[in-house]
Amino acid sequence: MAQSTLGIAKRSQIPFKLVTVSGIIFLIMAAFPLFFGSFQISLMSKLLLFGALAVSLDLVWGFTGILSFAHGVFFTLGGYAMAYYLKLNLAADGNTYGIDLPDFMVWNGLEKLPWFIAPLKYFPIAAVAMVAIPAIFAYLVGTFIFRSKVSGVYITIITLAISSALTTFFISQQAYTGGTNGITDVSRLSIAGVDVPLNGLYWMILLFTGCVLAGSYWLTKSNLGLILRSIKENENRISYLGYDVASFKIFIWTLSAGIAGIAGGLFVPLNRFISPVYLAVAFGTQVVIWVAIGGRGTLIGPIIAAMLLGQVQNYAERVTQDWQLVVGILLLVVVVFIPDGLVGTIAKLFKPKQKVAR
Amino acid sequence: MKADQERSKKRKNMFYYLAQEEAASSFSSIALANQLVNGIGIVGILLLTGLGLAITFGVMRIINLAHGEFIMLGAYVTFVLQSNFNLDLLLTIPFSFLITGAIGALVELTIIRRLYGRPLETLLATWGLSIVLQGVIKLIFTAQLKYVKAPPYISGNLTLLTDEQGSPAIAISYYRLFIVAIALALLALTSYLLNNTDLGRQVRSVTQNRDMSKCLGVNTSLVDMITFAYGCGLAGVAGTVISSLKSVSPPMGQDYLVDAWMTVVTGGVDKLVGVLAGAFLIGQSNAGIAYLLNDPVARVIVLGAVIVLIRYFPEGLFTVQKRS
């Protein structure tokens, strides 16, 4: 009880210090493209997106206690929606075979654009689809699994199965998804006929990640966030208090899938391809690792972990082939010895001790 | 441009050819029977890989995502013994059981024990462990594919039925039968150990009610260690037996991990027969659907079915009513 009232008291103040500090960091990040080359900008943009993806998982795992390996799936579904748009626009320009068909569909003997892909030719539809497809998929899955007595570990196993099944499915439907290669050689992103330069894309992504972070912060400090955290701590007690636990879970699950989908959609114009690699369990665990190392329930931790590990990986992979071994050892050490994650532990060290109500 | 067009034409032709071939091999009960007989081989592999997992999950309620890597370790033990001492594959089974079991005990002592009662943390830690084990093996043996020889006396096919031309219509390789035999033998052994020994009784009591067993003087931490080591040892045996089917490589365990988990959650972990049932259900439905449609679709359907199953029977199909 003391904990919760403390939370409400804090919430009513506007955190000026936090706003100033994050504003300054945002401005520094915004100035980033002015000082670095296109390779660094592109890498940084990808890492920002991975950061947003990690935050979306943090909402579900760190705050609500649902460990998901399927966030790579939501990311990739959004990515495919955008990739179809970019690919179809390339095909319409007459670059391939003179017909309005992406190359991989021609190779696989398709003669006509399938009806379920055709609408993605238009930007507004693709933009909506990149959020809606993962969100609807997550909503259906969430409604199915959260409205039952399935809990904790079994949900995680279900997410593993989803990731594994979809990977197999996308690889097998070669004519529609491009199989193992995925959708490659997509066109550059252009909105309303204007090409978006790399810097523009970077700023868009920075804005998106900033919004995700700010929105998540606001969400977790709100009453809703309090309920979510309580679900993580003691699900039964919350349901005895009259809250419909399943609805809250489904809401946050769908929201987080939507965020992951947008991140995936923005990832494609940067990466210039999307493939089942991002659907697979390995990528899903990569996201989990970022959140675990950064610190569950800290929001900023997962972003920092994703960006730091990504940057280090970029250099380490040139020097050694055993970068994954280092990640594994890091994960083991964090899980066994510092379960709060790096940022969580540092925050604990500097936090003044809370007064305990007696 | 022109070359591209020709290539696309060729691809198209190939596609039509494939489609025709598919249409030609229309439904035949003998081919289906053959598929189902060969599905028994898949059942054997699932049983073998799921058994160790079922025991550790049942007793300790921990999610071991490094199970695939213990399978991989078993395969490497066989590879090392075979390439250095020219040992027969069958003779390496005890070694791989003991070595992977010892590594499992070490892991339990250093990592799993610290995370007791936090299943999601163990899941993460074992995932980290799986990355580390893969990395270490890659450091020692490089990422190159290694090959293990199957015992020469277990070769050839058992033909159950021949068609008019005298070629086998329903056939299964002896090696797959051997896998099934090993899996069943291990199942019987485990069942004997669980039901007819003192340690087994303690293990079962811990499975049913950990706190109560502790009160009654069962050394639960010792039981945990032995169970985990035994589960890992079984994974090692699975690795040895599977090693000659495909190549041996650091990421080989990943292929078996998800399927082994699906087997375990389908059958439930309260009774050993659950694992057998899970393996049978998944293996045979996979084989049957793969015959009617195709392999990837079969996998997707089976995984979807398992998800639905977990939704309605989270404890698996074969459960014991118990107070918690």
Side-chain angles (χ1 to χ4, degrees):
Chain A
M1 205 55 202
Q3 278 284 330
S4 59
T5 46
L6 209 64
I8 289 167
K10 248 190 215 159
R11 203 159 23 84
S12 56
Q13 304 159 356
I14 299 171
F16 285 112
K17 233 193 211 166
L18 191 75
V19 171
T20 338
V21 170
S22 47
I24 291 169
I25 291 174
F26 186 82
L27 286 179
I28 293 173
M29 291 296 293
F32 183 84
L34 305 178
F35 304 106
F36 289 90
S38 60
F39 174 77
Q40 267 299 331
I41 299 173
S42 166
L43 179 67
M44 203 62 178
S45 319
K46 281 182 199 171
L47 296 180
L48 278 169
L49 287 176
F50 287 158
L53 178 61
V55 169
S56 78
L57 178 64
D58 196 21
L59 282 178
V60 166
W61 182 27
F63 287 94
T64 324
I66 309 161
L67 175 52
S68 153
F69 282 95
H71 268 63
V73 169
F74 303 140
F75 180 83
T76 319
L77 286 179
Y80 267 97
M82 188 48 103
Y84 280 124
Y85 164 71
L86 295 175
K87 189 73 182 174
L88 289 175
N89 272 26
L90 189 75
D93 289 349
N95 285 341
T96 7
Y97 309 120
I99 26 172
D100 284 0
L101 259 192
D103 45 10
F104 63 87
M105 291 188 183
V106 177
W107 293 336
N108 285 294
L110 285 193
E111 310 220 305
K112 219 171 114 247
L113 204 56
W115 58 268
F116 51 89
I117 293 174
L120 290 173
K121 204 171 1 180
Y122 307 103
F123 182 74
I125 297 178
V128 170
M130 99 188 164
V131 194
I133 291 175
I136 291 172
F137 179 65
Y139 177 77
L140 293 177
V141 171
T143 316
F144 186 64
I145 57 179
F146 293 131
R147 292 214 182 275
S148 71
K149 52 182 180 169
V150 180
S151 64
V153 166
Y154 287 100
I155 286 177
T156 306
I157 294 178
I158 288 179
T159 61
L160 270 179
I162 289 175
S163 166
S164 183
L166 276 183
T167 312
T168 318
F169 183 71
F170 269 68
I171 289 177
S172 71
Q173 299 300 311
Q174 205 164 11
Y176 303 108
T177 61
T180 324
N181 293 333
I183 300 174
T184 52
D185 301 327
V186 298
S187 66
R188 291 188 183 283
L189 181 66
S190 60
I191 297 174
V194 185
D195 270 357
V196 180
L198 184 60
N199 283 4
L201 202 56
Y202 172 83
W203 282 319
M204 253 168 75
I205 288 167
L206 181 65
L207 193 65
F208 163 69
T209 308
C211 288
V212 167
L213 197 57
S216 307
Y217 180 79
W218 172 78
L219 186 83
T220 52
K221 292 289 172 198
S222 69
N223 278 332
L224 180 70
L226 203 59
I227 295 169
L228 293 178
R229 266 179 289 158
S230 327
I231 290 175
K232 181 186 161 198
E233 297 301 334
N234 194 333
E235 201 177 314
N236 284 341
R237 188 174 288 182
I238 282 298
S239 68
Y240 293 152
L241 285 173
Y243 291 100
D244 182 8
V245 172
S247 297
F248 284 104
K249 280 185 177 171
I250 294 167
F251 168 74
I252 197 74
W253 177 253
T254 310
L255 179 75
S256 127
I259 295 173
I262 301 177
L266 289 172
F267 181 68
V268 173
L270 270 175
N271 202 32
R272 307 298 299 280
F273 79 94
I274 190 88
S275 75
V277 169
Y278 298 100
L279 278 175
V281 179
F283 183 66
T285 32
Q286 195 72 49
V287 187
V288 172
I289 288 172
W290 294 328
V291 180
I293 290 179
R296 272 159 275 172
T298 57
L299 290 183
I300 192 74
I303 287 201
I304 293 176
M307 297 185 76
L308 269 184
L309 282 178
Q311 281 286 356
V312 175
Q313 181 173 9
N314 178 39
Y315 294 105
E317 275 188 341
R318 292 178 207 168
V319 187
T320 165
Q321 294 190 321
D322 301 302
W323 165 247
Q324 280 302 317
L325 180 60
V326 179
V327 173
I329 293 173
L330 196 58
L331 178 64
L332 256 184
V333 169
V334 165
V335 173
V336 176
F337 297 106
I338 24 181
D340 288 328
L342 297 177
V343 172
T345 312
I346 292 170
K348 232 181 209 171
L349 287 180
F350 285 96
K351 207 174 179 183
K353 276 184 186 145
Q354 279 184 357
K355 280 175 200 152
V356 181
R358 288 185 194 278
Chain B
M1 191 71 189
K2 211 172 183 185
D4 271 354
Q5 270 176 1
E6 260 171 34
R7 188 162 60 158
S8 79
K9 235 183 206 169
K10 251 186 201 166
R11 291 233 181 192
K12 239 186 212 171
N13 285 344
M14 208 163 78
F15 176 77
Y16 286 132
Y17 173 69
L18 283 177
Q20 272 167 5
E21 198 179 49
E22 220 164 273
S25 68
S26 60
F27 187 85
S28 96
S29 52
I30 291 180
L32 178 63
N34 186 34
Q35 188 81 13
L36 290 181
V37 167
N38 276 294
I40 291 175
I42 306 177
V43 173
I45 293 174
L46 287 176
L47 182 57
L48 207 52
T49 49
L51 193 57
L53 212 50
I55 289 164
T56 42
F57 184 57
V59 177
M60 301 164 73
R61 290 280 144 188
I62 62 159
I63 305 287
N64 185 6
L65 288 186
H67 192 73
E69 274 55 47
F70 283 99
I71 294 176
M72 182 267 289
L73 284 178
Y76 269 94
V77 169
T78 305
F79 166 74
V80 168
L81 289 177
Q82 206 171 58
S83 56
N84 288 342
F85 306 104
N86 211 7
L87 266 184
D88 192 284
L89 187 135
L90 283 187
L91 293 178
T92 62
I93 287 179
F95 291 102
S96 59
F97 178 81
L98 289 176
I99 293 172
T100 47
I103 296 173
L106 197 69
V107 166
E108 205 278 333
L109 277 176
T110 49
I111 299 169
I112 312 283
R113 182 155 295 186
R114 296 166 186 273
L115 303 171
Y116 171 69
R118 290 184 289 171
L120 287 182
E121 313 271 311
T122 6
L123 188 149
L124 272 184
T126 49
W127 187 267
L129 179 71
S130 97
I131 300 173
V132 171
L133 285 178
Q134 275 188 42
V136 170
I137 290 293
K138 207 167 137 193
L139 270 184
I140 303 173
F141 295 98
T142 74
Q144 227 178 353
L145 301 181
K146 312 278 186 206
Y147 295 93
V148 168
K149 288 190 290 288
Y153 43 83
I154 315 180
S155 62
N157 291 310
L158 173 68
T159 309
L160 295 173
L161 194 76
T162 51
D163 59 9
E164 295 91 37
Q165 282 91 38
S167 53
I170 302 181
I172 181 167
S173 74
Y174 281 113
Y175 197 78
R176 286 191 179 260
L177 286 178
F178 163 71
I179 291 179
V180 177
I182 290 264
L184 287 177
L186 284 178
L187 184 71
L189 175 74
T190 311
S191 160
Y192 173 80
L193 288 177
L194 272 181
N195 294 321
N196 297 59
T197 60
D198 259 3
L199 186 67
R201 199 167 297 119
Q202 291 185 357
V203 169
R204 277 186 295 139
S205 76
V206 174
T207 314
Q208 285 184 10
N209 195 331
R210 175 175 288 268
D211 294 331
M212 198 64 221
S213 329
K214 219 180 211 165
C215 291
L216 292 172
V218 175
N219 187 349
T220 51
S221 56
L222 184 69
V223 167
D224 279 346
M225 195 185 88
I226 292 175
T227 318
F228 194 77
Y230 184 74
C232 292
L234 287 184
V237 176
T240 294
V241 176
I242 291 166
S243 64
S244 74
L245 283 180
K246 284 184 195 164
S247 53
V248 177
S249 64
M252 69 179 277
Q254 296 290 311
D255 298 345
Y256 299 102
L257 181 73
V258 173
D259 291 15
W261 263 112
M262 295 308 136
T263 308
V264 170
V265 292
T266 303
V269 290
D270 291 336
K271 284 179 180 170
L272 276 178
V273 69
V275 192
L276 181 61
F280 198 81
L281 267 178
I282 290 186
Q284 288 301 13
S285 51
N286 211 335
I289 300 170
Y291 171 73
L292 296 175
L293 302 162
N294 59 44
D295 261 331
V297 175
R299 189 179 155 75
V300 173
I301 290 177
V302 168
L303 283 177
V306 171
I307 292 173
V308 175
L309 199 85
I310 299 177
R311 158 73 165 77
Y312 291 105
F313 304 95
E315 301 280 299
L317 289 176
F318 293 82
T319 48
V320 178
Q321 281 292 329
K322 61 188 169 196
R323 283 190 258 175
S324 52

